[in-house]
Amino acid sequence: SPRPLPIPTLIDRAFRKAERRCRLCRPFPNGIRAILFLISVAAFGGFLLGGKTLASDGLTSDVDHKVVVPILRTHCLDCHDDSSDIDLSGFESPGHFAENRELWNRVLTQIRLGTMPPSDADPLPAELRQSLVDKIDALTNAIDCVKNPNAGRVALRRLNRREYRNTIKDLTGVDFVAAEDFPGDDVGYGFDNIGDVLSLPPILMEKYLDAAESITGQAIATPPPPRLLEIDKSPDAFEKTEKYSVHSGQLTMGSNGTVTLPLEIPFRGVFQVTVTAAGDQGGDQPCRMKLAIGKQDHEIDVPNETPEDFVKSWKLAKGKRVLEISFLNDYWVPNKADRNLKIYHVHIRGQETSVTSIRDLDKPASHDKILFVRPGYSDAPESKNSRAATANVIARFASRAFRRPATRGEVGRLVQLALQVRKDGGSFEESIQVAMQAILVSPHFLFKVEAHRERNSDGSMPSLSPYELATRISYFLWSSMPDDELLAMAHRDELRDRNKLLHKVASMLRDQRSDRLVENFAGQWLQIRNLDLVQPDTRRFPGFNDEIRDLMRQETMLFFAAILRENRPVTELIEADYTYLNEPLAKFYNINNVSGQAFRKVNFRSRGDAIRGGLLTQGSLLTVSSNPTRTSPVKRGKFILENLLNMPPPPAPPNVPELDKGPLTGRLRERMKQHREDPSCAACHSMMDPLGFAMENFDAVGRYRTLDGTHPIDSLVSLPDGTRLSGTDGLRDWLAGPRREAFLKCFTEKLMIYAIGRGTDYNDRCAIDEILSNASGRDYACAYIIAGIILSDPFQKQGFRP
């Protein structure tokens, strides 16, 4: 009708329609009109409130509960009573749903998918199924979006490996790649940036210490340390010893004379010469020894009869030198006294004095950026200039590293550390290196720290500080620290200005660093990171190699990046009629007329080829969801349910044998029946398998085919609710049509989990609904969903753990 019908007319029609069709209402014939009336009033009230999700107050709960109870009794309780592994018998109380939220959300997933009730039970009409879903959802997850829903609290988050590498690069200019023995990052909710799983084992702290030393050494140039020289010589190496006795490592000089020791001095320096000597004493004088190198000499008394060390210093230039050791005062009285000098060992140790100046070094670009001021070369470590330069450098570096202004106390302690290095003989550059190392192992650098806050006086959730918000934004979009502009906006408290914030977000998405969002979010959400772990059998799939593997990854990353940078609707991830290819990958896919090594956009509709388009036909996804020797409808179906619809099937029951991963004989569909024949498996496989079989025209490495061996591919499938899909085209239409809302919610929720670093819960549904509602007017363009997440309460505020 071109004119809307009055509300009473709509309600009356609903009465009559329900009485005709709803056999479940017969046990309650007198109450059905009242129940439907209340439902209509509640729905109309929701419309007047602008679509806000209402809290499960007493009236609404009772109405929803009275609708749910008869349906559950008729369709569920025969199997799921108190003797079942999944006991639903507690539904007699409205509060049971919220108290057992995890259980009933699993039930919701099965009902939405159409896998419950099972195919051999009485069918559940589509309208009644949707009503059941709506009412269970309201009872289980109801929340009042008007009354301050919990914004959630994020656990203290350590930088993961990729964030650490990016932050180090943006902070110091050093591209530090963690060694293989660097502990990996655990994954939660599908992502490796979740605070609850990012622990700090002791071995990782040791790696951070080693890394800090390596990073600062690369970021700041320092003069090479002075070279050292050590020489040990025994009397056997002496020259001009013909008239003396050399025996058992001892030179005995029985008369005045000189022995020599040739030396090669490799650099200018100060050298200490240690001669181990003793003497046979006689007469009224001790033995006297002279040490000479060139024109420099020292006379030494040797009064001892047991070996002792005698040390003298020389300043020597580079070149050949000769050490002369002379006995000066021989004395002999027959049968009474005999004075002799004994030499046992010579040790020479020296240190270079002419070292390279810092001004003469080839410095990295980061050197002058970090050391933007420095004291004069003649300034003492404790001078005013030296202290001021040290404080300025450290304050700026620490503030950038901590993603907030460093406190006066923090800077003071770091300055004292640097000045101590100077007092111990270190250079200005070395003192800053040591202070930087302390900063790089500080919790304020290694963790994204957010101070605890109490609720505001009106009970509302407190906002993050501007610097904490800037940190969340930068690690969401760039997987790295805020740039100077974002920190300056935080300093001026401009991030609460919606227009300025969105302008900055737009510029960040255009920045090359947003490639990290593509790599880290899309790479994990779509499981592209697992591509390196898959090893297809190249005998069965010739042409697949590491080059093709990398090209597949690039295809998906470029495709997702285009959706992001061109601000395309996120639904194009599913229903796009294009992808990005170069000649080698196009040839692997058997696609003609694509030439050159560079990737370019290939539109299949304009080519009259509708086989490919969107994520579902890209080799990366098809390969990671296959086995080495064949496709896996189970993995592909599970991927769609888990990653595109956010309806993950439960884990397989224990003691159920896995389908053989090896080559199959006969039709794959026949082999898959063993899973669906087991009642404990049928609920999940009745949905996973058809979705996977709809993609069977693509083999285990993403190439299109019409035969599996000698058997024609049958990609016509039926879903548990009776929906029939024809191949990948039908699957795309189903995801972009009836399941469009589920896909949009899935994408938004996955992106929010990645953005805030924690799993979502029912409190976040208000934010997700509002994000999608606001983005709907923009055709769900990607940037508007990203902006909606950044503007949402879970992102901007701090709640508490439920």
Side-chain angles (χ1 to χ4, degrees), residues 305-600:
E305 295 189 354
T306 57
E308 289 187 11
D309 291 340
F310 299 89
V311 182
K312 294 297 178 181
S313 294
W314 275 270
K315 293 181 179 180
L316 300 176
K318 178 181 177 181
K320 293 183 177 181
R321 299 288 182 271
V322 175
L323 172 64
E324 297 178 340
I325 303 175
S326 302
F327 181 28
L328 301 179
N329 59 342
D330 182 27
Y331 179 80
W332 180 68
V333 176
N335 301 322
K336 288 186 178 181
D338 188 4
R339 187 185 297 158
N340 301 306
L341 178 64
K342 298 179 180 180
I343 308 298
Y344 296 89
H345 185 261
V346 173
H347 175 76
I348 300 173
R349 186 179 190 278
Q351 178 173 304
E352 187 177 18
T353 54
S354 58
V355 295
T356 304
S357 168
I358 188 67
R359 290 171 288 190
D360 299 329
L361 293 177
D362 184 14
K363 299 184 289 290
S366 57
H367 182 98
D368 290 330
K369 288 183 180 179
I370 296 172
L371 303 179
F372 63 99
V373 295
R374 59 162 297 126
Y377 288 97
S378 60
D379 286 336
E382 285 291 347
S383 69
K384 183 178 180 180
N385 285 345
S386 182
R387 183 178 289 272
T390 301
N392 288 336
V393 170
I394 288 176
R396 188 170 81 167
F397 185 84
S399 296
R400 296 185 70 233
F402 296 162
R403 283 87 67 179
R404 56 156 176 81
T407 67
R408 182 175 298 179
E410 290 168 336
V411 174
R413 289 190 294 272
L414 291 165
V415 168
Q416 286 302 116
L417 177 62
L419 293 179
Q420 186 60 50
V421 174
R422 295 293 308 276
K423 289 179 183 178
D424 293 340
S427 65
F428 174 71
E429 291 76 17
E430 290 169 331
S431 72
I432 298 299
Q433 283 181 335
V434 172
M436 285 173 59
Q437 290 168 27
I439 292 169
L440 295 182
V441 297
S442 166
H444 295 284
F445 172 75
L446 296 175
F447 289 85
K448 293 171 237 177
V449 179
E450 296 177 358
H452 173 71
R453 295 172 177 81
E454 299 297 334
R455 290 197 190 198
N456 297 325
S457 58
D458 61 356
S460 60
M461 300 293 158
S463 297
L464 299 173
S465 77
Y467 295 103
E468 291 167 352
L469 180 57
T471 296
R472 281 199 179 188
I473 293 170
S474 65
Y475 280 96
F476 173 27
L477 302 182
W478 287 348
S479 295
S480 185
M481 58 180 284
D483 64 359
D484 291 342
E485 182 182 9
L486 191 56
L487 286 174
M489 291 179 68
H491 179 71
R492 296 190 295 266
D493 201 17
E494 293 178 347
L495 295 180
R496 307 296 178 193
D497 185 318
R498 178 188 176 93
N499 291 332
K500 290 182 178 179
L501 172 59
L502 294 181
H503 180 78
K504 176 59 178 174
V505 168
S507 71
M508 292 176 73
L509 290 176
R510 291 191 295 269
D511 191 284
Q512 198 66 31
R513 282 170 285 189
S514 65
D515 285 346
R516 300 164 182 172
L517 173 62
V518 177
E519 177 185 351
N520 296 327
F521 169 69
Q524 293 182 88
W525 171 47
L526 301 175
Q527 300 181 3
I528 308 304
R529 285 189 183 177
N530 296 338
L531 194 58
D532 288 334
L533 306 178
V534 181
Q535 299 296 332
D537 186 342
T538 54
R539 291 173 297 180
R540 295 181 63 85
F541 305 105
F544 183 88
N545 52 37
D546 288 341
E547 179 190 6
I548 294 297
R549 187 198 311 273
D550 290 339
L551 295 178
M552 285 179 174
R553 182 186 293 107
Q554 290 185 57
E555 175 192 12
T556 302
M557 295 294 101
L558 288 170
F559 176 72
F560 188 93
I563 300 288
L564 172 68
R565 294 233 169 83
E566 296 173 15
N567 201 18
R568 306 292 301 168
V570 297
T571 49
E572 284 193 13
L573 292 168
I574 301 298
E575 58 187 353
D577 59 1
Y578 61 87
T579 188
Y580 288 80
L581 301 173
N582 69 350
E583 183 175 354
L585 186 58
K587 285 184 177 179
F588 181 78
Y589 287 157
N590 295 316
I591 296 174
N592 298 321
N593 301 322
V594 178
S595 58
Q597 293 295 318
F599 274 81
R600 80 289 313 274

Side-chain angles (χ1 to χ4, degrees), residues 671-687:
R671 296 290 304 274
M672 295 296 295
K673 285 183 180 179
Q674 62 179 279
H675 281 271
R676 292 192 294 275
E677 289 171 355
D678 188 328
S680 61
C681 300
C684 297
H685 281 273
S686 61
M687 190 65 183

Side-chain angles (χ1 to χ4, degrees), residues 664-670 696-697 705-714:
L664 300 177
T665 58
R667 295 179 182 271
L668 180 57
R669 285 183 183 242
E670 297 170 0
E696 269 298 283
N697 279 116
R705 61 183 181 169
T706 56
L707 296 174
D708 183 8
T710 59
H711 303 287
I713 298 291
D714 180 8

Side-chain angles (χ1 to χ4, degrees), residues 56 60-73 76 87-108 111 131-142 762:
S56 182
T60 307
S61 296
D62 288 343
V63 171
D64 292 335
H65 188 251
K66 288 177 180 178
V67 174
V68 166
V69 165
I71 304 176
L72 293 178
R73 281 178 176 164
C76 304
D87 178 14
L88 305 182
S89 60
F91 60 71
E92 299 293 346
S93 165
H96 181 270
F97 292 83
E99 293 167 2
N100 296 273
R101 186 171 285 114
E102 183 178 353
L103 168 67
W104 286 103
N105 278 324
R106 288 174 55 195
V107 171
L108 274 174
I111 298 174
S131 176
L132 181 62
V133 166
D134 293 341
K135 301 303 175 286
I136 293 178
D137 192 25
L139 288 166
T140 303
N141 300 309
Y762 71 100

